[in-house]
Amino acid sequence: MIKVTIWNEFVHEKQEGPAGDRIRAIYPNGIHALLKEKLAADDLEIRIASLDEPEQGLPDSLLNDTDVLLWWGHCAHAKVENELVDRIQARVQAGMGLIVLHSGHFSKIFKRMMGTSCSLHWREVGEKERLWVVAPNHPIAQGVPETFTLPHSEMYGERFEIPDDGKIIFLSWFEGGNVFRSGVTFFRDNGKIFYFSPGHETYPIYHDENVLKVIGNAIRWAAPIQIIPPRKTHLPDADETVYSKDPNKDIDTSNLHK
Amino acid sequence: MIKVTIWNEFVHEKQEGPAGDRIRAIYPNGIHALLKEKLAADDLEIRIASLDEPEQGLPDSLLNDTDVLLWWGHCAHAKVENELVDRIQARVQAGMGLIVLHSGHFSKIFKRMMGTSCSLHWREVGEKERLWVVAPNHPIAQGVPETFTLPHSEMYGERFEIPDDGKIIFLSWFEGGNVFRSGVTFFRDNGKIFYFSPGHETYPIYHDENVLKVIGNAIRWAAPIQIIPPRKTHLPDADETVYSKDPNKDIDTSNLHK
Amino acid sequence: MIKVTIWNEFVHEKQEGPAGDRIRAIYPNGIHALLKEKLAADDLEIRIASLDEPEQGLPDSLLNDTDVLLWWGHCAHAKVENELVDRIQARVQAGMGLIVLHSGHFSKIFKRMMGTSCSLHWREVGEKERLWVVAPNHPIAQGVPETFTLPHSEMYGERFEIPDDGKIIFLSWFEGGNVFRSGVTFFRDNGKIFYFSPGHETYPIYHDENVLKVIGNAIRWAAPIQIIPPRKTHLPDADETVYSKDPNKDIDTSNLHK
Amino acid sequence: MIKVTIWNEFVHEKQEGPAGDRIRAIYPNGIHALLKEKLAADDLEIRIASLDEPEQGLPDSLLNDTDVLLWWGHCAHAKVENELVDRIQARVQAGMGLIVLHSGHFSKIFKRMMGTSCSLHWREVGEKERLWVVAPNHPIAQGVPETFTLPHSEMYGERFEIPDDGKIIFLSWFEGGNVFRSGVTFFRDNGKIFYFSPGHETYPIYHDENVLKVIGNAIRWAAPIQIIPPRKTHLPDADETVYSKDPNKDIDTSNLHK
């Protein structure tokens, strides 16, 4: 049983006015609630969390019981507390999988895990997006056709500022002339990360069967083999005999490490 | 002319007692001052900076005039302000080279650029370190023998928690049985990063000709081709005709991006 | 059930004289036979093959029924026919896992999959080898201690000429002062490759529990999700409308592709 | 002075009929001759070679005097002798740069250096290709606009079967809905490799200023720092004292290496 937590800032879905109405028509109870419903499976125990909850939805009791965390954020990135980002990062380093969706490319946690600016080009004119599978034998691509389209999507285009160890699972083509590394994996310490760009809130992208297939596969792929707590000591005795004589052994250098 | 700034926390060298005496015997004016002297060359304009100076030694006037920044820190990592780390990260992303030395593996700026914990094993018994060139045709390895030793060194050993895009230039062997990726390069946005592990303050490692050769090469390698400021807009018009009709064009979604 | 084929050139074990006697004392029926015995498990169907058999041990009927191929060769690399190397390469590209052991670093098939010279330093004086796990959460490292030793081993040392996409699972330390990327993974088309360096024929290395654990893990890791035959056509019609007018549409260019 | 050799199979340009006429109108003396003319610069000494010449255009006297080799081939890949491929591979491993153009993706030398099938999707309907710079601070991208188009191009599309260490410099968008890693770098032993896909013989692509800029930059990037001949011996004495006693020292194992 994989313990999955879907975190959503849950702001757009509560917004007033016609844009909010449009979004609510697609995601009545929020993106996280729809994903929970659509991803339901016997091997997954799915919980949802959002920014407006205590401890911004991720108290240690939940975070440290999570195998794979999904993250959707957009307009409220700045409101996520650095202390929470620290805790999520530590959990990923221990082995938790992290799946960052769409505008989460600019979330604090994704930028923290990458070290890069994570910037990109974007445009919102409802253009068509076509995805291509670049790694057909990767677990995340199983059951996904070689190419599929989203009739209306927000454009995310290169240059996407991510590190070179991003293994490309999907590349996207956009009607307006752009291309994008739309599905990319990373390893950080003991944790696996998958970034997947489709998912704009004003289009019904998380109703798409292929998109759901990808996210479901990614959850199973990102689930940890084991959670490895930070090593207690990093100061081991020598395993092999040291014959060299330490020129400093007559002085106490232990205070240098304080 | 490459503008180099050598930053040193400059704490150990001012410490009282026999450990401080030992360090001052090796680095009378600080590690940064010795490196400035030893690295002097016609194509380099070298400045030094330290934690105890105004703006922790790196006001924008200096940082934004720096092509390559060298970083040495150890016991004062926590004193470096997050705001400074933000500014350094932005400068690296724009193209500045960053050379992180020895215990700088645990500096805020290195952890920020990596996303990993950057943890490792360590031991300080004065054992011998032997380095091997793994990328003999890399600019950083030019003029460096295939293998060379440091008679006394602090051991840094695997597992070293860095991302997989670290290209290995040097691997180290330690008398006590450990191995380490001791020279590794990374790219982050437009900036180049080199981590080089030799350099403990109680051994005269920065007096070693091979170590100095490596650092000098790394400065030339990390110097930017160009500094690329953050792109003004990431919201370009479509270069190609979009034939799809936006289902949202009747509503105003611009407030979603606030 | 994973179908495993262990291929061994099976030459040293039949050699006359005291060196042959020594090897036979360790591997009475050949390295392949011992590995088959030691790796036996309910989820594995293991077959053995050797150079002296018809079609050099790997007729299509066996090769194309193999999920994971283990390869041990040393003095007879040149005797392996290029036509067989072509067939193995095609099978790996379709998805078969390939585990290359020890002196197989210089086999035709490994050099073919890498493109590099695969050269290294070596020395045979019975020195101690110490391995370190560099990727503790990788499937191949599960159940393997952080560090373990082989009391007598042939030294394989850097520079090891392999491509930069080799993900390091193990690094080795040698008593004589060398270091080595002793366990490395690669992906080629749809197939997974693991190179593991321990395994010299004159030392009982394949009797070591940790070494066997690694190889057993690697078999499960390298097993294909699916075998993907070469795509029938690479000449698809356009999925999107092409509005540009081909300046060559008045001439027949089809003969250019013959 | 960088010594450049442009190799072209030089078959299409001599073909009879209207397709040949079309090609000759664009490349009267062959693609190699036009590239030589267009790339001429004070720091380059450019020679041309073709398949119909003695030793298929690349005798050792020329190959071993070449710093950077450009390769254009298409319908005659199979005619290139394996012995020549061996010699080119050895020269790249020693440090020579290799720039593989367009349909050279299926050349023996590129497949040899990659280990993968190098297969892709293709289509020839004169559609528009748009390239994007993905690594703006890479030497190969200097002076190239962020995006530029080729009005008519042969489509090359993903999945492109190359290893994961291919650093992406350019990504291409095609009118018909495909995307492609159109400019990719690799390192193999001491040599640098750049694959660049634009360049179909029936369109005047090598007359395009941006394409020529890219190729010119790539030549300077791929030029070797030094040529490193194969190491004479890989059997060094131990640098450090070996205390272990070799259990085999009473027997002669030297014949195992024959």
Side-chain angles (χ1 to χ4, degrees):
Chain A
M1 182 69 72
I2 302 172
K3 294 182 176 180
V4 180
T5 302
I6 305 175
W7 190 95
N8 180 11
E9 63 176 35
F10 198 26
V11 175
H12 289 317
E13 299 93 328
K14 297 185 286 187
Q15 209 162 331
E16 298 189 358
D21 294 339
R22 183 67 51 98
I23 295 166
R24 274 183 296 278
I26 304 170
Y27 301 110
N29 302 306
I31 285 173
H32 51 328
L34 184 95
L35 281 174
K36 179 182 176 177
E37 177 195 325
K38 295 283 191 182
L39 295 168
D42 288 346
D43 62 332
L44 304 183
E45 178 186 331
I46 305 181
R47 290 84 54 102
I48 56 176
S50 57
L51 182 65
D52 53 357
E53 296 172 346
E55 301 194 47
Q56 302 198 320
L58 288 172
D60 271 347
S61 57
L62 178 57
L63 180 61
N64 294 338
D65 191 47
T66 297
D67 294 318
V68 181
L69 177 67
L70 277 69
W71 191 270
W72 200 102
H74 182 205
C75 60
H77 291 325
K79 291 183 181 155
V80 177
E81 287 168 16
N82 291 335
E83 179 273 342
L84 175 56
V85 178
D86 292 344
R87 287 194 291 121
I88 299 173
Q89 181 178 28
R91 180 77 184 161
V92 174
Q93 291 174 350
M96 182 181 74
L98 175 66
I99 298 176
V100 176
L101 296 170
H102 189 58
S103 43
H105 77 92
F106 247 18
S107 63
K108 285 185 179 180
I109 184 60
F110 190 60
K111 290 198 281 189
R112 182 73 71 83
M113 302 312 300
M114 297 292 106
T116 55
S117 66
C118 302
S119 69
L120 46 73
H121 286 309
W122 58 276
R123 179 174 58 237
E124 195 181 341
V125 299
E127 68 202 279
K128 185 193 289 188
E129 176 174 1
R130 172 176 290 281
L131 290 96
W132 288 91
V133 172
V134 170
N137 226 9
H138 193 280
I140 294 179
Q142 297 315 296
V144 180
E146 183 183 38
T147 184
F148 65 95
T149 59
L150 301 169
H152 303 287
S153 188
E154 185 181 28
M155 185 283 287
Y156 275 15
E158 299 283 343
R159 163 61 178 177
F160 183 24
E161 294 287 0
I162 50 173
D164 288 338
D165 61 326
K167 181 181 173 82
I168 304 173
I169 314 299
F170 300 99
L171 279 175
S172 280
W173 173 101
F174 289 91
E175 206 179 352
N178 297 79
V179 293
F180 196 64
R181 285 169 286 177
S182 47
V184 194
T185 66
F186 300 90
F187 297 84
R188 290 291 178 272
D189 287 50
N190 300 298
K192 284 173 259 183
I193 300 173
F194 180 56
Y195 173 74
F196 190 52
S197 62
H200 195 54
E201 68 277 3
T202 67
Y203 308 115
I205 288 174
Y206 294 126
H207 292 260
D208 182 272
E209 289 304 316
N210 288 315
V211 166
L212 290 165
K213 184 78 184 167
V214 168
I215 297 172
N217 286 344
I219 290 170
R220 277 77 176 188
W221 169 81
I225 294 183
Q226 57 174 325
I227 294 291
I228 300 181
R231 284 171 289 189
K232 282 297 185 310
T233 172
H234 300 285
L235 214 169
D237 286 335
D239 290 297
E240 303 293 336
T241 310
V242 172
Y243 295 92
S244 300
K245 186 175 175 300
D246 189 352
N248 294 328
K249 75 175 172 182
D250 53 324
I251 59 166
D252 175 13
T253 61
S254 63
N255 68 336
L256 299 180
H257 296 287
K258 281 168 196 163
Chain B
M1 181 69 72
I2 302 172
K3 294 182 176 181
V4 180
T5 302
I6 304 175
W7 190 95
N8 179 12
E9 64 176 35
F10 198 24
V11 175
H12 289 318
E13 299 95 327
K14 296 184 286 187
Q15 209 161 331
E16 297 191 358
D21 293 340
R22 183 67 51 98
I23 295 166
R24 274 184 295 279
I26 304 170
Y27 301 111
N29 302 306
I31 285 173
H32 50 329
L34 184 96
L35 281 174
K36 178 181 176 177
E37 177 194 324
K38 294 283 191 182
L39 295 168
D42 288 347
D43 61 332
L44 303 183
E45 178 186 331
I46 305 182
R47 291 83 54 104
I48 56 177
S50 58
L51 183 65
D52 54 357
E53 296 172 345
E55 302 194 48
Q56 303 198 317
L58 288 172
D60 271 347
S61 56
L62 177 58
L63 180 61
N64 293 338
D65 190 48
T66 298
D67 294 317
V68 180
L69 177 67
L70 278 70
W71 191 270
W72 200 101
H74 182 206
C75 59
H77 291 324
K79 292 184 180 157
V80 177
E81 288 167 14
N82 291 335
E83 179 274 341
L84 174 56
V85 178
D86 292 343
R87 287 194 291 121
I88 300 173
Q89 182 178 27
R91 179 76 184 161
V92 173
Q93 290 173 351
M96 182 181 73
L98 175 66
I99 297 175
V100 176
L101 295 170
H102 189 58
S103 43
H105 77 93
F106 247 17
S107 63
K108 287 184 177 180
I109 184 60
F110 189 59
K111 291 199 282 190
R112 180 74 71 83
M113 302 312 301
M114 298 292 105
T116 54
S117 66
C118 303
S119 70
L120 45 75
H121 286 309
W122 60 276
R123 179 174 58 238
E124 194 181 341
V125 298
E127 68 201 279
K128 186 194 288 188
E129 176 175 1
R130 172 176 291 281
L131 290 96
W132 289 91
V133 172
V134 170
N137 226 9
H138 193 281
I140 293 179
Q142 297 314 297
V144 180
E146 183 183 37
T147 184
F148 66 96
T149 60
L150 301 170
H152 304 287
S153 187
E154 185 181 27
M155 185 282 287
Y156 275 15
E158 299 284 342
R159 165 60 179 176
F160 184 23
E161 294 288 0
I162 50 173
D164 288 339
D165 61 326
K167 183 181 173 81
I168 304 173
I169 314 298
F170 299 99
L171 279 175
S172 279
W173 173 100
F174 288 91
E175 205 179 352
N178 297 80
V179 293
F180 195 64
R181 286 169 284 177
S182 47
V184 194
T185 66
F186 301 90
F187 298 84
R188 289 292 177 273
D189 287 47
N190 299 298
K192 283 173 260 183
I193 300 173
F194 180 56
Y195 173 74
F196 190 53
S197 62
H200 195 55
E201 67 277 3
T202 67
Y203 307 115
I205 288 172
Y206 295 126
H207 291 260
D208 182 90
E209 289 304 316
N210 288 314
V211 166
L212 290 164
K213 183 78 184 168
V214 168
I215 297 173
N217 286 345
I219 289 170
R220 278 77 177 188
W221 169 80
I225 293 181
Q226 56 173 326
I227 294 291
I228 300 182
R231 283 172 290 187
K232 282 298 188 305
T233 173
H234 301 285
L235 214 169
D237 287 335
D239 290 299
E240 304 293 338
T241 310
V242 172
Y243 296 92
S244 300
K245 185 173 175 300
D246 189 353
N248 293 328
K249 73 174 173 184
D250 54 323
I251 60 167
D252 176 13
T253 62
S254 63
N255 67 337
L256 299 180
H257 296 287
K258 281 168 195 160
Chain C
M1 182 68 75
I2 302 172
K3 293 183 176 179
V4 180
T5 302
I6 305 175
W7 190 94
N8 180 11
E9 63 176 35
F10 199 24
V11 174
H12 289 319
E13 299 95 327
K14 297 185 286 188
Q15 208 161 333
E16 297 191 0
D21 294 340
R22 184 68 51 97
I23 295 166
R24 274 184 297 277
I26 305 170
Y27 301 112
N29 302 305
I31 285 173
H32 52 328
L34 184 96
L35 281 173
K36 178 181 176 178
E37 177 195 324
K38 295 282 190 182
L39 295 167
D42 288 346
D43 61 332
L44 304 182
E45 177 186 331
I46 306 181
R47 290 84 53 103
I48 56 177
S50 58
L51 181 66
D52 54 355
E53 295 173 347
E55 302 195 47
Q56 303 199 318
L58 287 172
D60 271 346
S61 57
L62 178 58
L63 180 62
N64 293 339
D65 190 47
T66 297
D67 293 318
V68 181
L69 177 67
L70 278 69
W71 191 269
W72 201 101
H74 182 205
C75 60
H77 291 325
K79 290 183 183 157
V80 177
E81 287 168 16
N82 291 335
E83 180 274 342
L84 174 56
V85 178
D86 292 344
R87 286 193 292 122
I88 300 173
Q89 181 178 28
R91 179 78 184 161
V92 173
Q93 290 174 349
M96 181 182 74
L98 175 66
I99 299 176
V100 176
L101 297 169
H102 189 58
S103 43
H105 77 93
F106 247 17
S107 63
K108 286 185 178 180
I109 184 60
F110 190 60
K111 291 198 283 187
R112 180 75 70 84
M113 302 311 301
M114 296 293 105
T116 55
S117 66
C118 302
S119 69
L120 46 75
H121 286 310
W122 59 276
R123 179 175 58 238
E124 196 180 340
V125 299
E127 69 200 278
K128 186 194 288 189
E129 175 174 2
R130 173 176 290 280
L131 290 96
W132 289 90
V133 172
V134 170
N137 226 8
H138 193 281
I140 294 179
Q142 297 314 297
V144 180
E146 183 184 37
T147 183
F148 65 96
T149 59
L150 301 171
H152 304 287
S153 188
E154 185 182 27
M155 185 282 286
Y156 275 15
E158 300 282 342
R159 166 62 179 172
F160 183 23
E161 294 288 1
I162 50 174
D164 288 340
D165 62 327
K167 183 180 172 82
I168 303 174
I169 314 299
F170 300 99
L171 279 175
S172 280
W173 172 101
F174 288 90
E175 205 179 353
N178 297 81
V179 293
F180 195 63
R181 286 170 283 178
S182 47
V184 194
T185 66
F186 300 90
F187 297 85
R188 290 292 177 273
D189 287 47
N190 300 297
K192 285 174 259 183
I193 300 174
F194 180 56
Y195 173 74
F196 191 52
S197 61
H200 195 55
E201 69 277 3
T202 67
Y203 308 116
I205 288 174
Y206 294 126
H207 292 260
D208 182 90
E209 288 305 316
N210 288 314
V211 166
L212 289 165
K213 184 78 184 166
V214 168
I215 297 173
N217 286 344
I219 289 170
R220 277 78 175 187
W221 169 80
I225 294 181
Q226 56 174 325
I227 293 291
I228 300 181
R231 286 172 288 191
K232 282 298 187 309
T233 173
H234 300 285
L235 214 171
D237 287 336
D239 290 298
E240 304 292 338
T241 309
V242 172
Y243 296 91
S244 300
K245 186 172 175 300
D246 188 352
N248 294 327
K249 74 175 173 183
D250 53 323
I251 58 167
D252 176 13
T253 62
S254 63
N255 68 337
L256 299 180
H257 296 287
K258 282 168 194 161
Chain D
M1 182 68 74
I2 302 172
K3 293 182 175 180
V4 180
T5 302
I6 305 174
W7 190 95
N8 180 11
E9 63 177 34
F10 199 23
V11 174
H12 289 318
E13 299 95 326
K14 296 184 287 186
Q15 208 162 331
E16 296 191 359
D21 294 341
R22 184 68 50 99
I23 295 166
R24 274 182 298 277
I26 305 170
Y27 301 111
N29 302 305
I31 285 174
H32 51 328
L34 184 96
L35 282 173
K36 178 181 177 179
E37 176 196 325
K38 294 283 190 181
L39 296 168
D42 287 348
D43 61 332
L44 304 183
E45 177 186 331
I46 306 181
R47 290 83 54 103
I48 56 176
S50 58
L51 182 67
D52 54 356
E53 295 173 345
E55 302 194 47
Q56 303 198 317
L58 287 173
D60 271 347
S61 57
L62 177 58
L63 180 62
N64 293 339
D65 190 48
T66 297
D67 293 318
V68 181
L69 177 67
L70 278 69
W71 191 270
W72 200 101
H74 182 206
C75 59
H77 291 325
K79 292 183 181 155
V80 176
E81 287 168 15
N82 291 335
E83 179 274 342
L84 174 57
V85 178
D86 292 344
R87 286 194 292 122
I88 299 172
Q89 181 178 27
R91 180 75 183 163
V92 173
Q93 291 174 349
M96 182 181 75
L98 175 67
I99 298 175
V100 175
L101 296 169
H102 189 58
S103 43
H105 77 93
F106 246 17
S107 63
K108 287 185 177 179
I109 184 62
F110 189 60
K111 292 198 283 188
R112 180 74 71 84
M113 301 313 300
M114 297 293 105
T116 55
S117 66
C118 303
S119 69
L120 45 74
H121 287 310
W122 58 277
R123 180 174 57 238
E124 195 180 341
V125 299
E127 70 201 278
K128 186 195 285 190
E129 176 175 3
R130 171 176 291 281
L131 290 97
W132 289 91
V133 172
V134 170
N137 225 9
H138 193 282
I140 293 179
Q142 297 314 297
V144 180
E146 184 184 36
T147 184
F148 65 95
T149 59
L150 301 170
H152 303 287
S153 187
E154 184 181 28
M155 185 282 287
Y156 275 16
E158 299 282 342
R159 164 60 178 178
F160 183 23
E161 295 289 0
I162 50 173
D164 288 339
D165 61 326
K167 182 181 173 83
I168 304 173
I169 314 299
F170 300 99
L171 278 175
S172 280
W173 173 100
F174 288 90
E175 205 179 353
N178 297 80
V179 293
F180 195 64
R181 286 169 284 177
S182 46
V184 194
T185 65
F186 300 89
F187 296 85
R188 291 291 178 273
D189 287 49
N190 299 298
K192 284 174 258 182
I193 300 173
F194 180 55
Y195 173 73
F196 191 52
S197 61
H200 195 54
E201 68 277 3
T202 67
Y203 307 115
I205 288 174
Y206 294 127
H207 292 260
D208 181 89
E209 288 305 317
N210 287 315
V211 166
L212 290 165
K213 184 77 184 168
V214 168
I215 297 173
N217 286 344
I219 289 170
R220 276 79 175 188
W221 169 80
I225 293 181
Q226 55 174 326
I227 294 291
I228 301 182
R231 284 172 290 190
K232 283 298 188 309
T233 173
H234 300 284
L235 214 170
D237 286 335
D239 290 299
E240 304 293 337
T241 309
V242 172
Y243 296 91
S244 300
K245 186 174 175 301
D246 188 352
N248 294 328
K249 74 175 174 183
D250 53 322
I251 59 167
D252 176 13
T253 61
S254 63
N255 67 336
L256 299 181
H257 296 288
K258 282 168 194 160

